[in-house]
Amino acid sequence: MRSLDLLVAASAAVTSVSATSPFHHRRSREVTKRAGTNVIDASQLNDSYDFVIAGGGLAGLAVAGRLAEDPSVTVLVLEAGMSGDDVADNINIPGYTYWHSLWGSDYDWSFATTAQDGLDNKPRTWPRGKVFGGSSATNGMYFTRPNKEEIDAWSTLLGDDSYADYWTWDSFYAASKKSETFHAPTDEAEAVAHITYDASLHGTDGPIHTTYPAVSFGFNGNWTDTCVAAGIPPTTDALGGDNLGAGITTSSINPETWTRSYSRSGYIDAVGSLANLHLLPQAHVTKINFNGSTTEGLTASGVTFQASADSAPATVTANKEVILTGGVVGSPHILLLSGVGPKDVLDSVGIEVQHELPGVGLHLQDHVSTAVQWTTSIETAGTVNASGSEYAKSTEFLSYINSANAYVNLTLIAGEAATQNLTATAATYLDTYMDFVPSSDETVKVGYKAIHDLTVDFMAGWVSQLEILLSVTTDGALIIQAGLQHPLSTGHLYLSSSDPFTQPAIDPGYLNHWADMFILREGVKLARAIGNTEPLSQFLSEEQYPGSAVQTDEDWENYLRTSASTEFHPVGSCGMMPLANGGVVDGSLKVYGLANVRVADSSVIPFELSSHIGSPTYAVAELAAQIIAKDHSTTQANATDASSSSSSASQNNATTGDDTKNGARSLSLPLSVAGLASAMFACRLFL
Ligand SMILES: *[C@@H]1O[C@H](CO)[C@@H](O)[C@H](O)[C@H]1NC(C)=O
Ligand SMILES: *[C@@H]1O[C@H](CO)[C@@H](O)[C@H](O)[C@H]1NC(C)=O
Ligand SMILES: *[C@@H]1O[C@H](CO)[C@@H](O)[C@H](O)[C@H]1NC(C)=O
Ligand SMILES: *[C@@H]1O[C@H](CO)[C@@H](O)[C@H](O)[C@H]1NC(C)=O
Ligand SMILES: *[C@@H]1O[C@H](CO)[C@@H](O)[C@H](O)[C@H]1NC(C)=O
Ligand SMILES: *[C@@H]1O[C@H](CO)[C@@H](O)[C@H](O)[C@H]1NC(C)=O
Ligand SMILES: *[C@@H]1O[C@H](CO)[C@@H](O)[C@H](O)[C@H]1NC(C)=O
Ligand SMILES: *[C@@H]1O[C@H](CO)[C@@H](O)[C@H](O)[C@H]1NC(C)=O
């Protein structure tokens, strides 16, 4: 089926770009202007900055860009990875996410989980971008938003925290829109993929550009009709607080140049050189330095960092605050290395406790996913890539990434009776599951129960439990993936070594709770059902994975245990919750017990959201910048020190209103599943 004949036939069917194409004049693969990117080398480092930001990933650069809008403050970002300038095409060209991926390269942390009980006791890879922009420089660019109910539940979880109003849907949505500039699709993509959208649900002048790839494939045009025929309603546009339904979603692409729009291009490079902002690559933060305490807790004087494991440590002073933006792994890791965390974890590797905080690394959750794959003789983006044709090298084709998806609630997945049974049974199972919560600390258990209870409420209601995604980037095959959105399983991150260059132990607890297994099992059955539904089914041949031999619930569960893996959306390791719930940060993102340290990235999202996690993390960063500006303008307004009362007017306006290596895994799998796993790996399906 991959014969030359078929490739030729398929190429002939390509919706190729004609000379009258609107993109014709944009062939030059111009990337966002790099004039004065604020990047320095170690010799240019100042001794102190007002804000020292640990982690130059998605959130770190967004927070830095916003804080540096106030010319009266100075900002430093320390990024462990390289700048990315040497691999600019790999980052900027959307299709290179599949065809020339940075996964597994020096630009990937290449974390691995611990052996997963729920997955036949095998580990899984956990790619995370290690470069300016973090995972926003390497991921699959989905730009989605969760449901209103999920964010409002987050705010409710905060109880009487005086910043709880920042974490309501209205505030979060405004911050998310503030991060976004939406662009309508091209006529061609709109026609081929049957894109629908409502521009009023999107942002109009934010740093991150969102749109759809310039070109598309007929399979995407079949997607919504097929989902509707399979019982899933269509959505005109899922970005306004009700994401339920099937459609083509937005991606973070800048249509001016058909390049990836990510935190570096949007929040830093587009602004240009600023006198008050420094970004230092290859600066791996190893700990926070404390130099005393006030009534608000330990004060941080700055951080220690190293270029690499064998280079000398250096320090830099934070005049005002240290802000951790190392992501779900990096931020709790830095806290633990600094002696802030659960006593048993710190004792286990001999780190002296500076401040005991039982929730650090707890409440870790991730989306876990698997897929069904069919052979097809119809052209896919994978077919075009493999052809090596001129079209395969065009800017338009190389803007293609997958973006057909559907979010579905539990009644759509399993029916009403099963939903009622599941939610009732899960509630009565709580006491038993409490024994699995990986902490003996009562506050952590209270936090787990709070998350459990709102998750069960979500299951009984409207909130999406599963994401279904269509992948058209494999030559000769079509893949439909199912990803669990609201796990009841809880994981944790802890230390196996006090060496900052040894990755922390990451245990997401995949499929530990039987309800997660039930939902993902029914979800992957739904993925198969979609592939067997017209009009899509007429273009598909044999089911390759898991194959027709898999029929019973037991067959499916065995398949999940061998094939399931991350959907790349971990959250919760520095959860924003009350201290009495095992929280790590309060509603102002301040770490409990520390006077001037915040966490401002996806690790503070207290429970999973039915969304790819990049877009919500921009909202966290936008809100963080607003809160920090507000806190400092309040402090400054009261301060008698004249030199610190000059914060810019615009900031005062801030209102609420933001891997063991793959081989280890593949080798351990049955051959057919290993094939699928490597196909998924090659395709970067799920980012
Ligand atoms: C369905 O997919 C086929 C194969 O790509 C394509 O020819 C056809 O136009 C699509 N149908 C719709 C309604 O988009
Ligand atoms: C670095 O220090 C110099 C000299 O004090 C100062 O002019 C400059 O603004 C500082 N830069 C940053 C980004 O803090
Ligand atoms: C700690 O360091 C900060 C500078 O980052 C300084 O402002 C503060 O006075 C120091 N506190 C003590 C107790 O030395
Ligand atoms: C893209 O095509 C090239 C040949 O042109 C092939 O070597 C490569 O494996 C393809 N990439 C993927 C991910 O299919
Ligand atoms: C309810 O769910 C439990 C757990 O999956 C199952 O054992 C039981 O058979 C179900 N009951 C009904 C009536 O479906
Ligand atoms: C789940 O979604 C379907 C389709 O939109 C809807 O009819 C149903 O009411 C939803 N279920 C709940 C419990 O809200
Ligand atoms: C500053 O003043 C405001 C309003 O009067 C007050 O609420 C706040 O607590 C004061 N902050 C400090 C740090 O004194
Ligand atoms: C707030 O912003 C508005 C418009 O952006 C501006 O006109 C006004 O001067 C600002 N007010 C303050 C106090 O900065």
Side-chain angles (χ1 to χ4, degrees):
M1 73 146 315
R2 297 180 191 199
S3 74
L4 191 59
D5 284 359
L6 277 164
L7 282 177
V8 171
S11 305
V14 164
T15 50
S16 68
V17 180
S18 71
T20 57
S21 150
F23 334 107
H24 190 64
H25 60 284
R26 292 201 199 120
R27 293 247 169 198
S28 71
R29 208 169 289 139
E30 170 191 306
V31 297
T32 310
K33 196 174 72 183
R34 278 281 159 79
T37 54
N38 306 288
V39 178
I40 59 164
D41 63 42
S43 71
Q44 297 166 286
L45 190 71
N46 283 354
D47 292 339
S48 74
Y49 298 81
D50 291 331
F51 296 99
V52 172
I53 299 181
L58 184 156
L61 294 188
V63 171
R66 287 300 189 198
L67 290 179
E69 286 174 4
D70 179 347
S72 74
V73 303
T74 56
V75 180
L76 170 70
V77 178
L78 299 170
E79 163 55 34
M82 291 176 277
S83 71
D85 291 345
D86 291 346
V87 287
D89 278 357
N90 303 60
I91 292 172
N92 288 317
I93 300 173
Y96 278 18
T97 306
Y98 311 106
W99 323 124
H100 300 281
S101 173
L102 292 173
W103 202 348
S105 75
D106 289 346
Y107 299 87
D108 179 4
W109 287 93
S110 299
F111 296 127
T113 70
T114 59
Q116 294 294 288
D117 290 346
L119 302 178
D120 281 346
N121 210 28
K122 300 288 193 308
R124 290 295 187 268
T125 55
W126 253 40
R128 301 273 91 201
K130 187 180 180 184
V131 61
F132 282 136
S135 294
S136 77
T138 61
N139 69 10
M141 286 160 271
Y142 282 91
F143 192 94
T144 59
R145 281 195 265 264
N147 283 292
K148 177 180 189 301
E149 289 83 348
E150 297 168 72
I151 304 299
D152 283 336
W154 175 352
S155 182
T156 303
L157 197 56
L158 288 172
D160 61 5
D161 187 299
S162 62
Y163 288 80
D165 284 352
Y166 278 89
W167 307 99
T168 60
W169 169 258
D170 288 348
S171 164
F172 176 94
Y173 184 33
S176 184
K177 279 180 156 178
K178 193 171 181 227
S179 75
E180 181 193 14
T181 296
F182 174 77
H183 305 266
T186 64
D187 291 346
E188 177 175 342
E190 187 172 354
V192 173
H194 296 185
I195 295 169
T196 60
Y197 61 95
D198 177 352
S200 74
L201 303 181
H202 293 269
T204 53
D205 56 4
I208 301 302
H209 295 269
T210 67
T211 189
Y212 312 83
V215 295
S216 197
F217 291 84
F219 277 135
N220 294 314
N222 284 277
W223 175 247
T224 306
D225 289 349
T226 304
C227 286
V228 169
I232 299 169
T235 173
T236 304
D237 191 317
L239 279 273
D242 172 9
N243 69 16
L244 196 128
I248 309 292
T249 199
T250 32
S251 297
S252 47
I253 293 176
N254 185 345
E256 295 291 319
T257 45
W258 295 115
T259 50
R260 174 190 296 271
S261 184
Y262 69 117
S263 66
R264 180 178 180 181
S265 63
Y267 283 89
I268 304 292
D269 290 352
V271 177
S273 188
L274 294 174
N276 62 337
L277 174 63
H278 280 168
L279 314 183
L280 180 65
Q282 292 180 275
H284 185 136
V285 174
T286 56
K287 69 181 177 94
I288 303 166
N289 300 315
F290 299 110
N291 67 342
S293 61
T294 70
T295 52
E296 288 183 67
L298 290 178
T299 53
S301 57
V303 302
T304 297
F305 63 95
Q306 283 172 240
S308 65
D310 48 14
S311 54
T315 61
V316 63
T317 296
N319 301 323
K320 290 182 165 45
E321 293 194 12
V322 170
I323 301 170
L324 302 182
T325 50
V328 159
V329 179
S331 290
H333 195 198
I334 293 170
L335 285 174
L336 294 170
L337 292 168
S338 311
V340 178
K343 186 170 185 317
D344 57 345
V345 171
L346 299 175
D347 286 350
S348 73
V349 296
I351 292 177
E352 191 187 335
V353 176
Q354 300 293 332
H355 176 70
E356 187 177 352
L357 190 54
V360 175
L362 277 299
H363 300 129
L364 175 67
Q365 293 191 329
D366 191 16
H367 291 162
V368 60
S369 63
T370 188
V372 182
Q373 175 169 326
W374 293 264
T375 57
T376 181
S377 56
I378 304 293
E379 176 186 74
T380 66
T383 321
V384 174
N385 166 64
S387 75
S389 65
E390 279 308 303
Y391 179 60
K393 294 171 199 144
S394 69
T395 303
E396 298 74 48
F397 170 71
L398 290 173
S399 78
Y400 181 77
I401 53 172
N402 293 316
S403 53
N405 74 344
Y407 283 103
V408 291
N409 64 18
L410 191 52
T411 48
L412 286 172
I413 303 166
E416 208 130 316
T419 298
Q420 280 171 17
N421 182 31
L422 182 105
T423 50
T425 318
T428 60
Y429 184 70
L430 174 62
D431 287 347
T432 309
Y433 189 76
M434 275 299 193
D435 293 340
F436 288 83
V437 176
S439 171
S440 56
D441 183 83
E442 280 311 312
T443 64
V444 170
K445 288 182 181 270
V446 170
Y448 175 75
K449 182 181 182 311
I451 292 167
H452 170 279
D453 290 352
L454 65 84
T455 304
V456 172
D457 279 353
F458 290 162
M459 285 177 185
W462 181 268
V463 171
S464 310
Q465 298 299 320
L466 193 78
E467 184 185 13
I468 307 177
L469 306 96
L470 180 69
S471 169
V472 193
T473 42
T474 304
D475 182 18
L478 186 111
I479 297 172
I480 302 180
Q481 182 213 359
L484 180 75
Q485 301 298 291
H486 284 288
L488 282 173
S489 304
T490 187
H492 64 143
L493 177 148
Y494 55 99
L495 296 180
S496 57
S497 164
S498 60
D499 170 16
F501 293 89
T502 300
Q503 76 150 76
I506 300 167
D507 178 6
Y510 289 136
L511 302 177
N512 276 351
H513 193 294
W514 59 266
D516 293 355
M517 179 62 99
F518 174 89
I519 296 173
L520 190 57
R521 184 188 81 205
E522 296 307 307
V524 69
K525 286 184 192 169
L526 179 57
R528 174 188 273 177
I530 293 170
N532 290 337
T533 298
E534 295 278 342
L536 200 55
S537 58
Q538 64 190 291
F539 305 108
L540 305 183
S541 312
E542 182 203 357
E543 184 186 300
Q544 285 178 292
Y545 306 111
S548 56
V550 169
Q551 293 296 340
T552 66
D553 287 348
E554 198 189 344
D555 294 341
W556 279 112
E557 292 187 4
N558 286 333
Y559 177 62
L560 294 193
R561 277 190 274 269
T562 51
S563 68
S565 186
T566 180
E567 200 194 348
F568 311 115
H569 306 150
V571 300
S573 55
C574 295
M576 183 193 295
M577 281 190 286
L579 187 57
N581 287 19
V584 174
V585 300
D586 65 15
S588 74
L589 299 151
K590 273 199 171 157
V591 178
Y592 291 111
L594 309 185
N596 60 342
V597 179
R598 298 188 214 236
V599 184
D601 58 30
S602 53
S603 69
V604 306
I605 299 175
F607 52 84
E608 273 297 356
L609 305 174
S610 65
S611 176
H612 292 250
I613 223 67
S615 153
T617 305
Y618 284 120
V620 168
E622 288 281 0
L623 289 171
Q626 291 177 25
I627 289 169
I628 293 165
K630 174 182 165 292
D631 284 2
H632 285 276
S633 70
T634 308
T635 314
Q636 287 168 3
N638 299 3
T640 48
D641 176 5
S643 71
S644 61
S645 63
S646 60
S647 105
S648 90
S650 68
Q651 293 286 318
N652 287 325
N653 255 338
T655 52
T656 56
D658 180 4
D659 317 354
T660 9
K661 299 290 178 275
N662 178 47
R665 169 183 166 198
S666 305
L667 286 174
S668 63
L669 298 176
L671 195 57
S672 63
V673 176
L676 176 60
S678 69
M680 290 175 178
F681 188 87
C683 288
R684 317 309 182 231
L685 283 185
F686 312 143
L687 294 127

